[in-house]
Amino acid sequence: MSPAATDFDIPFLRSRRTNKWHKFPDDVLPAWVADMDFGVAPPIAEALARLARNQEYGYAAREGALAAAFARRMQHRFGWTAEPADAHPIGDLVQASFSSVMAFSEPGDAVLLQLPSYPPFMAAINDTGRRLIANHMRDSGTRWVLDLDAYEAAPDPRARVLIFCHPQNPTGRVFTRGELEQVAEFAIRHDLIVVSDEIHADIVYPGNTHIPLASLSPDIAARTITITSATKSFNIPSLRCAVMYFGARALKERFFARIPARLLGSPGVTGVDATIAAWDEGQPWLDDILACLKSNRDWLAQTIGSEMPGVTMRLPEATYLAWLDCSALALPTPAGQFFLERARVGLNFGETFGAPYANFARLNFATPAPVLREIIGRMAEAVRGFSAA
Ligand SMILES: Cc1ncc(COP(=O)(O)O)c(C=O)c1O
């Protein structure tokens, strides 16, 4: 990999017209939205250059190409056999989660979601007039765990859908086969359709294995819509290209009986070609990126442990996101606001992942090591200043 792909400096990162680097004033270092301060895999760069060279922007002839690449990738990476005919190309995962909620429930129905949660999932429930049933995860002392029993105490007769995020954002959990079996049994017993967001499945650290939920059994597959894309792991979120995979033909038919395919639109040719290049040829690049992310993760965990008393971070098993518990600091403001004001670091505010999480913040560590050191240096100084006062 060209060293430039992970060695960008702050002036260059700021010169890129990304939301990450332009949401906050220039004296703030951003560590929020989930994209990486790196480049892209050479096969992606070449796919995009080829389109530009050929000025190839007419209506595309790519029938079935993305679905076939998805099936190859699932087989090769996770040993999961997916049927290309049951995959549907779509612009993005948020759109896939909104449309799935709308297809498989009615206004007033309940949708379950583990909290803390990636904020748009809550929007997919609230903005469509469904009721959010918050199923809070628990910090076991070493990692975040599911607590499905909490729901059993008061099941909702109008629960129709479970939005499941695996690997989980923001806790970084990779659920084990045992945990996934519990989820599958739970969904079947409560007759829930599962929207399984597996967008982070490629960014998994050694010692953990991603298992697609729908790969567990035909019974859970028949009620699971797996939604994924190459956009997180291959750093191309603005190319808007994703896949919805229906674990049974009947599920796909039910979906399209409610949601006209033409309402959803379809991904553009840049997204499709880049995704195919990523999935088919991008793995050597991703392996290098994973090594870099692991080194950032390990340094971060160690430095937070030693330099930021009062801040707790469970080691993420996947994702380049760290979920920081700042409760022990007893801050006067939400943690995100504290670090923005006192450290000039732009994190995701914990309360956007669920109302009880104002003492938390999410930090994106997919950035060159010198930038990460500067971010953490500023944060540690703010914590020291506050604790000394
Ligand atoms: C769990 C999860 N799902 C979906 C997305 C966004 O996907 P998209 O840009 O395709 O809507 C993100 C982005 O951070 C995410 O973390």
Side-chain angles (χ1 to χ4, degrees):
M1 179 173 56
S2 128
T6 54
D7 280 8
F8 296 148
D9 62 14
I10 291 173
F12 177 75
L13 290 167
R14 213 181 284 290
S15 76
R16 303 203 296 188
R17 288 191 300 151
T18 57
N19 196 19
K20 184 178 189 183
W21 282 83
H22 292 277
K23 177 186 161 82
F24 295 108
D26 276 2
D27 66 326
V28 172
L29 282 178
W32 64 291
V33 69
D35 56 34
M36 302 196 266
D37 291 332
F38 302 144
V40 297
I44 295 179
E46 175 47 31
L48 297 175
R50 188 174 39 72
L51 287 172
R53 256 194 326 270
N54 297 348
Q55 302 185 27
E56 186 184 323
Y57 307 116
Y59 287 113
R62 301 281 191 287
E63 195 55 45
L66 184 69
F70 165 78
R72 282 194 299 277
R73 179 77 179 171
M74 294 303 112
Q75 189 71 60
H76 188 248
R77 186 97 167 133
F78 306 117
W80 176 37
T81 305
E83 174 54 56
D86 294 332
H88 184 77
I90 190 166
D92 63 64
L93 269 77
V94 170
Q95 190 184 20
S97 57
F98 268 71
S99 54
S100 299
V101 165
M102 293 177 80
F104 294 106
S105 64
E106 302 293 335
D109 283 345
V111 178
L112 272 77
L113 176 66
Q114 271 83 38
L115 262 56
S117 167
Y118 172 62
F121 292 148
M122 290 179 271
I125 300 168
N126 295 327
D127 296 0
T128 59
R130 276 64 172 172
R131 284 180 297 116
L132 167 64
I133 308 272
N135 179 233
H136 290 274
M137 294 176 70
R138 281 188 297 108
D139 182 346
S140 74
T142 51
R143 61 185 189 174
W144 288 82
V145 292
L146 295 170
D147 187 6
L148 296 172
D149 287 348
Y151 174 75
E152 305 288 3
D156 191 305
R158 289 189 64 184
R160 302 283 180 262
V161 176
L162 165 67
I163 301 183
F164 185 59
C165 186
H166 165 50
Q168 214 265 350
N169 170 5
T171 64
R173 272 306 313 285
V174 176
F175 298 112
T176 61
R177 183 173 290 277
E179 288 173 303
L180 293 172
E181 279 167 356
Q182 277 175 13
V183 171
E185 185 276 328
F186 175 89
I188 292 167
R189 189 157 39 81
H190 291 285
D191 193 17
L192 302 172
I193 297 293
V194 185
V195 179
S196 187
D197 179 319
E198 304 189 9
I199 195 171
H200 294 284
D202 270 329
I203 303 174
V204 168
Y205 299 108
N208 305 282
T209 304
H210 175 77
I211 304 171
L213 179 70
S215 71
L216 289 188
S217 73
D219 283 352
I220 188 64
R223 58 178 65 244
T224 300
I225 304 144
T226 305
I227 60 179
T228 196
S229 73
T231 60
K232 291 287 133 189
S233 33
F234 290 96
N235 207 23
I236 48 173
S238 72
L239 297 186
R240 317 313 294 153
C241 178
V243 169
M244 302 179 77
Y245 181 73
F246 299 87
R249 188 67 44 86
L251 192 65
K252 188 177 185 190
E253 285 166 5
R254 270 179 73 192
F255 177 86
F256 285 111
R258 291 289 300 272
I259 309 286
R262 294 211 166 207
L263 187 62
L264 297 176
S266 54
V269 70
T270 48
V272 170
D273 283 11
T275 299
I276 295 172
W279 279 342
D280 284 347
E281 302 168 65
Q283 194 57 44
W285 177 89
L286 183 55
D287 288 341
D288 286 348
I289 290 293
L290 281 169
C292 168
L293 293 176
K294 180 178 181 304
S295 146
N296 276 5
R297 178 199 69 159
D298 293 346
W299 178 84
L300 180 67
Q302 199 198 349
T303 309
I304 285 183
S306 59
E307 305 291 321
M308 273 194 242
V311 179
T312 306
M313 163 188 164
R314 305 291 173 219
L315 202 65
E317 298 161 346
T319 79
Y320 43 75
L321 307 168
W323 183 233
L324 306 180
D325 182 351
C326 308
S327 320
L329 289 174
L331 297 170
T333 59
Q337 192 184 333
F338 171 84
F339 287 113
L340 182 58
E341 289 172 357
R342 308 245 191 144
R344 306 307 283 161
V345 169
L347 306 173
N348 285 87
F349 288 28
E351 59 272 31
T352 61
F353 295 76
Y357 301 102
N359 291 325
F360 290 76
R362 194 190 73 175
L363 183 150
N364 175 347
F365 56 83
T367 196
V371 182
L372 186 61
R373 281 199 292 276
E374 171 75 22
I375 288 169
I376 297 306
R378 289 184 184 195
M379 289 173 64
E381 198 176 319
V383 168
R384 273 195 300 276
F386 173 73
S387 303

